[in-house]
Amino acid sequence: MTERIIAKKEGAVGWLIFNNPERRNAVSVDMWEAMPQVLEGFDADREIRMVVLAGAGDKAFVSGADISQFENQRSSKEAVQRYEEIAEAAQARLQTLDKPVLAMIRGYCLGAGVNIANVCDLRVASDDARFGIPAAKMGLGYRASSMKNLVDTVGAPYAREIMLTGRQFSAQEAKDMGLVHHVVPAADLERFTREYCAQIAANAPLTLRAAKRIVREVLKKDYDAALCKTWVRECFESEDYAEGRKAFMEKRKALFKGK
């Protein structure tokens, strides 16, 4: 673990905070390595229904990879391979988390920041947020998994514009291309996020899990329909489904247990 990643629990929400504000929360190798550990802890905690990613301070969500480490960490073929594997593992664990994940974005969300936010289920941004992938300005190659995630989110035309121009986009531009779900005034960002998370966390965990798994599955070229039916059946066979029906008939809010 590292002090540059803060993990905290507030009720049903687990917060993973990128804590490198002096470098606008640029992601260092130790931060990449810590992410899966934090996420495993959140995944194992049954009380946590929702995960939020955020950046420390008000300047950035994540401004990219920590360029100061490039000479040591990404200058040789072997070093590049190791770095790619570490970053890929962190993003893959985030993407496969069964609990809903939201990126709360304020300020800069660049390069690795876009990749991290893009594998979250939901993205809420302040109106002063800035997005971009400046790889072309540094001569970086972009791995196929991150490029596929980008194309899946915004489509090939916008992905081309993001990558070929390397320019920064406003929060509204990001919303227009589908990269962001909601844009709110900076002063309201945290309040909106907490209310949004409370709404999601009150829903049936098994239904949320099934929805996430099925969305991931159907994005594959040849998805497993039988597997999807299994996840749906688990919902219908759960105690929560019985509680949901009962609550509806009694005109009250359902109290789901995730089983």
Side-chain angles (χ1 to χ4, degrees):
M1 297 296 289
T2 172
E3 62 182 12
R4 292 179 177 176
I5 290 287
I6 296 174
K8 64 179 183 178
K9 176 181 173 182
E10 294 183 358
V13 180
W15 290 75
L16 186 157
I17 301 172
F18 299 100
N19 184 39
N20 192 11
E22 65 277 6
R23 301 194 66 82
R24 292 182 174 175
N25 299 323
V27 182
S28 54
V29 171
D30 57 326
M31 293 166 75
W32 282 122
E33 291 175 328
M35 284 178 62
Q37 299 177 54
V38 171
L39 295 171
E40 287 293 341
F42 288 162
D43 203 23
D45 190 333
R46 292 181 60 88
E47 293 181 353
I48 291 178
R49 301 282 186 88
M50 180 92 194
V51 175
V52 176
L53 272 58
D58 59 4
K59 301 297 182 185
F61 171 70
V62 169
S63 62
D66 191 341
I67 297 175
S68 68
Q69 294 188 331
F70 279 21
E71 194 59 35
N72 292 327
Q73 302 287 352
R74 301 180 78 176
S75 58
S76 69
K77 179 179 179 180
E78 294 75 15
V80 167
Q81 179 64 27
R82 178 177 179 275
Y83 183 95
E84 291 291 293
E85 290 173 355
I86 293 171
E88 178 76 16
Q91 290 179 213
R93 187 64 191 93
L94 180 60
Q95 192 169 19
T96 57
L97 197 71
D98 279 331
K99 298 176 181 181
V101 184
L102 181 146
M104 186 180 79
I105 303 164
R106 182 169 185 183
Y108 292 105
C109 180
L110 306 175
V114 172
N115 292 343
I116 291 169
N118 198 31
V119 293
C120 295
D121 303 297
L122 301 163
R123 291 167 291 280
V124 176
S126 61
D127 54 7
D128 62 356
R130 302 289 294 178
F131 298 81
I133 300 179
K137 297 180 181 297
M138 292 189 62
L140 293 172
Y142 241 62
R143 59 182 173 273
S145 62
S146 293
M147 196 72 79
K148 184 181 187 305
N149 290 334
L150 184 64
V151 172
D152 284 344
T153 299
V154 304
Y158 279 129
R160 292 189 185 101
E161 183 181 13
I162 291 170
M163 298 303 301
L164 298 181
T165 65
R167 74 176 180 91
Q168 292 185 16
F169 298 81
S170 69
Q172 187 57 52
E173 286 179 296
K175 185 176 186 299
D176 290 343
M177 65 176 68
L179 188 59
V180 168
H181 295 87
H182 300 280
V183 175
V184 299
D188 298 333
L189 179 63
E190 190 164 336
R191 177 192 58 78
F192 179 91
T193 297
R194 291 181 184 279
E195 292 176 356
Y196 199 36
C197 287
Q199 178 184 1
I200 295 169
N203 290 330
L206 296 181
T207 301
L208 301 182
R209 183 182 72 180
K212 286 197 60 170
R213 288 179 174 180
I214 293 171
V215 168
R216 287 198 304 268
E217 185 64 26
V218 299
L219 283 172
K220 299 175 183 178
K221 184 178 180 180
D222 297 308
Y223 71 86
D224 190 332
L227 186 58
C228 293
K229 289 180 180 178
T230 297
W231 294 327
V232 171
R233 186 172 63 251
E234 288 174 352
C235 295
F236 282 117
E237 294 175 351
S238 70
E239 294 177 18
D240 280 352
Y241 177 52
E243 163 64 9
R245 299 196 313 273
K246 185 178 180 181
F248 179 80
M249 297 302 294
E250 296 175 354
K251 295 182 172 56
R252 61 172 174 82
K253 185 177 180 181
L255 298 176
F256 297 115
K257 298 179 180 179
K259 57 183 180 179

